[in-house]
Amino acid sequence: MNWNRKNLKSQGKISFKKNYRRYVVICLILLFISGEFVGTYYSLTDTVTTTTDAEDEINRLPLNNSSGVIADFAEGVGTLEKTKDDTVKKFASYHPTRGVLAQFFNGVSATGNLTTGVLNTVNHMVFSSRIGEGIVILISTLLQLMWFLFVGQVLSVGGRRFALESRRYHDTNTERVFLMYHVKRVIKVGLSMLRHTVYLMLWMFTVIGGVIKFYSYYMVPFILAENPDINGKTAIKISRQMMKGYKWKLFILQFSFLGWNILNVLTFGLLGIFYLNPYRLATESEVYMALRRNYIDNNGAFSYLLKDVYLDIPIAQDDTYPADGFEIPSAPARKWLEIDFNRNYTLLHLILIFFIFSMVGWCWEVSLHLLQDGTFVNRGTMFGPWLPIYGSGTVLVLFLLKPFRNRHILTFFLATALCGIIEYSTSYFLERVHHMKWWDYSGYLLNLNGRVCLEGLLVFGLGCYAIIYIAAPIIDNLISKLPRKVLISIALILVCLFCLDSVYSRSHPNTGKGITDYQSQPQKKFYLQETRYS
């Protein structure tokens, strides 16, 4: 095989530029959901800081990406002393105190390692006798593991699938990142990637062996992207055979991106989002196809499993990958999921939907307070069983986001942003008018003035997504079955009661314990105590 690094990078650049916007979207999905490309932003400071009392300590940890591998090779030559970067120190000293994300964030940041963070979480739970919270942490850890395997890793393979197809088909849809879900290979691919991850973790204990195996197993996600029916053990064998004699060459190719990595850090990651990450992914897909051709030409032991001929045709006749080209057919859509979410909602139905979700929101918050503190609290500024912020948010996402309903990912992010604007402005208005707080996210991970936080916005974003595509259409169908006169009567009664409640609560808002006593409550600390590792 004639390995030409410049040609591989040139072909990769051509490939991603022809499908630029979709490549950016795919890489953003891989960045935020699968955790890929993260090391790119810290390649100049591959350090993890843990803080104990007044002392800050920088510890180097190998990262499972190209930047981390470069650092590993450098460590093999000699220990490189790192200066304490102010940004890293601020990051390390940041400790949110409330919420599930805060627990996970502090557990991992205190140890600098996901596995060690989980073990430290369990250790802290047992010796602190916090069994109730411990169960929640264990469940959260299990959910995180499930997310890692069957969402993060599966989408990572799906991203490779998109890259492989877009080499030849310049109108490849971003939906191809979800191909493993369409063909029902999520569990199989997740378990195959689990084997790949476990093998790498075990080899990392040998340091040098870990670096070698990192490159030896590098093509596993691409192999599974081509044929998800290949099991993990076989995929590893194929990758090892493909990479024989090319591990060092791949390292050199990745090292050639060092200048881009430096510029990426200087641009605070923006270069990575809009150029470097797509460039690297497209280049690596070219590497895989070159190694694949070499493997098939040399009659590799498992070359018969790499049989997707549509990935390597000289000139694509169509703009998209042929619908019947993939050997594994997509699973037929379930009938109960065939919901018309692009419908238009009438004013009468929107009024009723407003009250339904205002009441659902009230039940949600009352139930949470009842489970946490064991007492019933009438949440909200009003006295009726409704929280208008939930109803208003629902109506606004149904009305304002209608043009984007066919773009699911964009709809989710827009709904999350819209919920943040509604929640922040409502909190600001209430504090200005009544000089009291009806909610306070202080201590939560990435909160803004205690009015909104990342954890809450993600929950609201997912809730709005479910409302737009499932709940609202189903409720609209149920409402349509009732006589119009009955609907008008119900709407008029609810509007009258709501207006009376609004007038009264404007001058006599609902206040009291569990409602507006945030300023008098000490912040509860749920995060894990830090542990110093020498």
Side-chain angles (χ1 to χ4, degrees), residues 70-139:
I70 293 171
D72 289 336
F73 270 83
E75 284 184 346
V77 178
T79 303
L80 301 179
E81 295 295 330
K82 296 289 185 178
T83 59
K84 296 182 178 182
D85 184 82
D86 290 339
T87 303
V88 177
K89 288 194 292 184
K90 288 180 180 179
F91 175 80
S93 62
Y94 174 57
H95 294 294
T97 59
R98 301 165 63 194
V100 176
L101 290 182
Q103 295 172 4
F104 181 75
F105 175 85
N106 288 313
V108 174
S109 64
T111 60
N113 181 275
L114 179 62
T115 305
T116 309
V118 172
L119 294 176
N120 186 45
T121 300
V122 176
N123 176 68
H124 180 75
M125 171 201 73
V126 174
F127 290 99
S128 298
S129 299
R130 296 165 63 179
I131 303 301
E133 291 180 22
I135 293 174
V136 174
I137 293 174
L138 286 176
I139 294 174

Side-chain angles (χ1 to χ4, degrees), residues 42 45-63 82-95 105-113 529-533:
Y42 303 103
T45 56
D46 283 336
T47 60
V48 176
T49 305
T50 58
T51 308
T52 54
D53 300 326
E55 182 177 2
D56 293 326
E57 183 177 339
I58 302 290
N59 297 318
R60 292 179 49 78
L61 291 177
L63 300 178
K82 296 289 185 178
T83 59
K84 296 182 178 182
D85 184 82
D86 290 339
T87 303
V88 177
K89 288 194 292 184
K90 288 180 180 179
F91 175 80
S93 62
Y94 174 57
H95 294 294
F105 175 85
N106 288 313
V108 174
S109 64
T111 60
N113 181 275
Q529 295 179 349
E530 294 177 270
T531 303
R532 179 178 178 180
Y533 293 88

Side-chain angles (χ1 to χ4, degrees), residues 6-293:
K6 290 185 178 180
N7 284 346
L8 290 172
K9 294 178 70 174
S10 176
Q11 289 299 318
K13 189 182 296 185
I14 293 172
S15 177
F16 95 80
K17 282 187 175 180
K18 288 183 178 179
N19 215 343
Y20 174 73
R21 286 181 295 178
R22 291 172 182 173
Y23 250 109
V24 171
V25 172
I26 290 295
C27 289
L28 281 174
I29 293 174
L30 298 184
L31 174 63
F32 289 110
I33 297 182
S34 300
E36 293 196 42
F37 311 116
V38 172
T40 305
Y41 306 114
Y42 303 103
S43 57
L44 296 184
T45 56
D46 283 336
T47 60
V48 176
T49 305
T50 58
T51 308
T52 54
D53 300 326
E55 182 177 2
D56 293 326
E57 183 177 339
I58 302 290
N59 297 318
R60 292 179 49 78
L61 291 177
L63 300 178
N64 189 18
N65 52 41
S66 60
S67 302
V69 173
I70 293 171
D72 289 336
F73 270 83
E75 284 184 346
V77 178
T79 303
L80 301 179
E81 295 295 330
K82 296 289 185 178
T83 59
K84 296 182 178 182
D85 184 82
D86 290 339
T87 303
V88 177
K89 288 194 292 184
K90 288 180 180 179
F91 175 80
S93 62
Y94 174 57
H95 294 294
T97 59
R98 301 165 63 194
V100 176
L101 290 182
Q103 295 172 4
F104 181 75
F105 175 85
N106 288 313
V108 174
S109 64
T111 60
N113 181 275
L114 179 62
T115 305
T116 309
V118 172
L119 294 176
N120 186 45
T121 300
V122 176
N123 176 68
H124 180 75
M125 171 201 73
V126 174
F127 290 99
S128 298
S129 299
R130 296 165 63 179
I131 303 301
E133 291 180 22
I135 293 174
V136 174
I137 293 174
L138 286 176
I139 294 174
S140 176
T141 302
L142 179 61
L143 291 176
Q144 291 286 342
L145 179 61
M146 298 289 285
W147 177 275
F148 171 75
L149 290 179
F150 303 120
V151 179
Q153 295 290 73
V154 171
L155 288 181
S156 180
V157 173
R160 270 73 183 170
R161 182 70 201 186
F162 168 85
L164 291 176
E165 290 188 12
S166 64
R167 293 177 60 256
R168 289 290 181 264
Y169 306 96
H170 301 138
D171 197 26
T172 302
N173 198 294
T174 53
E175 291 287 333
R176 298 302 282 180
V177 73
F178 303 109
L179 180 63
M180 303 306 146
Y181 295 93
H182 296 326
V183 298
K184 291 188 174 182
R185 293 299 186 274
V186 175
I187 295 178
K188 190 175 184 67
V189 170
L191 293 178
S192 296
M193 289 301 292
L194 174 62
R195 180 188 288 267
H196 167 259
T197 303
V198 170
Y199 278 23
L200 274 180
M201 288 177 61
L202 294 175
W203 276 107
M204 283 297 175
F205 286 113
T206 66
V207 184
I208 298 299
V211 176
I212 294 173
K213 293 301 179 182
F214 173 81
Y215 284 101
S216 184
Y217 301 165
Y218 203 87
M219 293 300 149
V220 168
F222 286 98
I223 294 167
L224 295 176
E226 178 173 356
N227 186 355
D229 276 336
I230 297 176
N231 61 53
K233 187 175 181 180
T234 303
I236 289 174
K237 288 182 179 179
I238 296 174
S239 181
R240 288 175 57 195
Q241 293 169 6
M242 276 186 175
M243 293 300 299
K244 189 174 182 179
Y246 295 99
K247 291 186 281 293
W248 177 253
K249 292 181 178 180
L250 180 57
F251 167 74
I252 294 298
L253 185 145
Q254 291 184 331
F255 190 80
S256 67
F257 286 98
L258 180 61
W260 290 111
N261 288 333
I262 294 173
L263 290 175
N264 185 41
V265 173
L266 296 177
T267 59
F268 302 100
L270 291 177
L271 180 67
I273 292 174
F274 295 107
Y275 186 84
L276 179 57
N277 296 340
Y279 184 14
R280 287 174 56 189
L281 179 60
T283 300
E284 289 178 359
S285 70
E286 294 294 334
V287 171
Y288 170 74
M289 292 307 298
L291 293 173
R292 175 185 180 274
R293 289 188 212 104

Side-chain angles (χ1 to χ4, degrees), residues 200-481:
L200 274 180
M201 288 177 61
L202 294 175
W203 276 107
M204 283 297 175
F205 286 113
T206 66
V207 184
I208 298 299
V211 176
I212 294 173
K213 293 301 179 182
F214 173 81
Y215 284 101
S216 184
Y217 301 165
Y218 203 87
M219 293 300 149
V220 168
F222 286 98
I223 294 167
L224 295 176
E226 178 173 356
N227 186 355
D229 276 336
I230 297 176
N231 61 53
K233 187 175 181 180
T234 303
I236 289 174
K237 288 182 179 179
I238 296 174
S239 181
R240 288 175 57 195
Q241 293 169 6
M242 276 186 175
M243 293 300 299
K244 189 174 182 179
Y246 295 99
K247 291 186 281 293
W248 177 253
K249 292 181 178 180
L250 180 57
F251 167 74
I252 294 298
L253 185 145
Q254 291 184 331
F255 190 80
S256 67
F257 286 98
L258 180 61
W260 290 111
N261 288 333
I262 294 173
L263 290 175
N264 185 41
V265 173
L266 296 177
T267 59
F268 302 100
L270 291 177
L271 180 67
I273 292 174
F274 295 107
Y275 186 84
L276 179 57
N277 296 340
Y279 184 14
R280 287 174 56 189
L281 179 60
T283 300
E284 289 178 359
S285 70
E286 294 294 334
V287 171
Y288 170 74
M289 292 307 298
L291 293 173
R292 175 185 180 274
R293 289 188 212 104
N294 183 62
Y295 185 69
I296 293 175
D297 291 343
N298 291 323
N299 297 316
F302 300 97
S303 58
Y304 65 93
L305 294 174
L306 306 177
K307 49 190 175 182
D308 194 341
V309 296
Y310 292 100
L311 292 179
D312 202 26
I313 58 177
I315 301 177
Q317 301 298 320
D318 302 310
D319 291 332
T320 58
Y321 185 88
D324 57 348
F326 196 57
E327 190 174 78
I328 307 171
S330 297
R334 297 175 184 263
K335 290 184 178 180
W336 64 273
L337 287 177
E338 295 176 357
I339 299 173
D340 178 22
F341 54 80
N342 274 320
R343 67 185 65 202
N344 293 313
Y345 295 91
T346 64
L347 178 60
L348 177 59
H349 284 203
L350 284 175
I351 292 173
L352 293 172
I353 287 173
F354 166 82
F355 283 106
I356 289 172
F357 283 99
S358 294
M359 293 177 181
V360 168
W362 181 85
C363 292
W364 166 258
E365 295 217 6
V366 168
S367 299
L368 285 179
H369 203 283
L370 188 62
L371 290 172
Q372 290 175 356
D373 300 328
T375 58
F376 173 83
V377 175
N378 182 22
R379 298 285 297 158
T381 63
M382 305 177 74
F383 293 87
W386 39 51
L387 290 175
I389 189 172
Y390 284 88
S392 301
T394 298
V395 172
L396 285 175
V397 297
L398 289 176
F399 179 73
L400 295 179
L401 303 186
K402 185 180 185 301
F404 309 101
R405 289 182 194 168
N406 286 320
R407 304 174 68 178
H408 293 247
I409 297 173
L410 179 61
T411 296
F412 168 75
F413 285 110
L414 289 177
T416 302
L418 183 58
C419 288
I421 294 171
I422 294 171
E423 189 174 28
Y424 190 93
S425 58
T426 302
S427 174
Y428 181 83
F429 172 79
L430 292 175
E431 288 181 37
R432 284 288 183 178
V433 173
H434 299 291
H435 308 291
M436 287 180 288
K437 291 184 177 182
W438 271 262
W439 63 85
D440 188 0
Y441 294 116
S442 297
Y444 280 82
L445 178 68
L446 298 179
N447 74 86
L448 183 59
N449 299 325
R451 296 190 176 103
V452 294
C453 70
L454 176 63
E455 186 170 322
L457 291 181
L458 289 177
V459 172
F460 289 138
L462 290 172
C464 287
Y465 186 89
I467 288 171
I468 292 172
Y469 295 104
I470 301 175
I474 291 176
I475 291 174
D476 191 55
N477 288 339
L478 295 175
I479 293 175
S480 300
K481 294 181 179 180

